[in-house]
């Protein structure tokens, strides 16, 4: 079992230390403080995390997240760096990889590219392969509301569909490294396409439809 999720946690924690609590991110209007609080809530307060996915519970989630965010910044970062509590199944390596790798990778890039949109870091072949797997596992769910069908093509990998056959009106292909396509599928690069290195191929109408689509959990 790889330790990619652990590596992303450690590197994201270092990025929090480096940029501080008030740096912008690619996660909407969240600052780094908001993002760190979200990550801590997700792992340590499952009783209040329902609003991440269910709008009816969003008010409680937001309230608890604000309470978590009010902690001193070093304490908040250390809570995230130290990982989930002992009772959490995310302590198990296999669960950690499935539940956290994409989450931590995307939010790590949120911090880096939120501070500098042109920022890019080197990604290992191991990480790229793991993120290609993320696309296979999560693509159909993340793109379930896409107005067009979506395929993905990345160097070194066979082209694959990310949506069900016959979905939408038209079809596009996302071309780029797996790590870049993951960001686009998670909704980054819509307002400013330059923050991800993804080319959208297809006829003009289909490309225009997808370009304005924001994936929703």
């Amino acid at each position: 079992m790889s330790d990619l999720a652990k590596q992303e946690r450690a590197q994201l924690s270092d990025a929090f230390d480096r940029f501080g609590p008030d740096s912008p991110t690619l996660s909407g209007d969240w600052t780094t403080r908001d993002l760190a609080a979200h990550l801590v809530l997700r792992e340590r307060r499952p009783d209040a995390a329902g609003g991440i996915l269910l709008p009816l519970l969003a008010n409680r989630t937001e309230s608890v997240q604000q309470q978590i965010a009010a902690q001193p910044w070093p304490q908040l970062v250390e809570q995230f760096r130290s990982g989930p509590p002992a009772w959490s199944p995310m302590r198990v390596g296999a669960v950690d990889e499935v539940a956290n790798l994409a989450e931590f990778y995307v939010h790590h890039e949120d911090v880096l590219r939120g501070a500098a949109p042109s920022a890019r870091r080197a990604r290992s072949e191991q990480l790229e392969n793991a993120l290609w797997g993320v696309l296979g596992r999560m693509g159909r769910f993340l793109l379930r509301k896409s107005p067009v069908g979506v395929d993905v093509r990345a160097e070194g990998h066979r082209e694959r569909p990310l949506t069900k056959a016959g979905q939408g009106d038209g079809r596009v292909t996302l071309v780029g490294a797996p790590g870049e396509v993951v960001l686009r599928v998670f909704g980054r690069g819509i307002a400013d396409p330059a923050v991800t290195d993804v080319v959208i191929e297809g006829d003009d109408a289909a490309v225009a439809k997808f370009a304005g689509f924001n994936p929703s959990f």
Side-chain angles (χ1 to χ4, degrees):
M1 178 57 61
S2 70
D3 289 328
L4 291 172
K6 289 182 179 179
Q7 293 172 23
E8 288 296 309
R9 181 193 296 275
Q11 293 172 18
L12 175 51
S13 299
D14 290 344
F16 283 144
D17 283 338
R18 184 162 73 254
F19 291 105
D22 302 314
S23 186
T25 75
L26 297 184
S27 295
D29 59 359
W30 278 359
T31 64
T32 39
R33 180 183 292 278
D34 298 316
L35 184 48
H38 158 77
L39 291 168
V40 170
L41 177 145
R42 178 177 170 272
E43 292 188 326
R44 294 173 176 261
R45 291 294 306 272
D47 61 303
I52 295 173
L53 294 175
L54 300 175
L56 287 175
L57 303 177
N59 286 342
R60 170 162 168 74
T61 297
E62 177 63 21
S63 176
V64 174
Q65 182 168 311
Q66 289 179 2
Q67 294 172 25
I68 294 171
Q71 300 176 79
W73 179 241
Q75 180 178 320
L76 180 57
V77 174
E78 183 54 34
Q79 280 191 338
F80 173 65
R81 186 189 295 276
S82 63
W87 48 260
S88 173
M90 291 184 189
R91 282 284 187 184
V92 179
V95 177
D96 186 32
E97 288 294 306
V98 172
N100 288 329
L101 175 58
E103 180 85 5
F104 295 167
Y105 166 76
V106 170
H107 288 321
H108 188 186
E109 296 298 332
D110 284 342
V111 173
L112 298 179
R113 302 187 195 198
S118 62
R120 299 292 186 270
R121 60 179 168 123
R123 292 185 297 263
S124 68
E125 182 178 358
Q126 183 186 26
L127 178 57
E128 291 283 24
N129 288 338
L131 293 172
W132 181 254
V134 167
L135 289 169
R137 291 194 305 272
M138 301 182 67
R140 181 170 292 193
F141 172 72
L142 292 168
L143 298 173
R144 68 195 183 281
K145 297 180 181 179
S146 173
V148 297
V150 182
D151 300 316
V152 60
R153 185 169 72 248
E155 184 176 352
H157 299 276
R158 178 180 295 181
E159 184 170 332
R160 65 162 40 145
L162 294 184
T163 58
K164 61 185 180 181
Q167 179 172 328
D169 183 16
R171 199 159 191 93
V172 299
T173 300
L174 306 182
V175 183
E180 297 297 316
V181 177
V182 164
L183 292 174
R184 185 59 184 82
V185 169
F186 273 77
R188 277 46 175 189
I190 298 172
D192 180 6
V195 302
T196 65
D197 299 328
V198 175
V199 176
I200 306 174
E201 294 183 346
D203 66 56
D204 290 347
V207 169
K209 288 178 182 177
F210 185 78
F213 166 65
N214 189 356
S216 171
F217 286 26

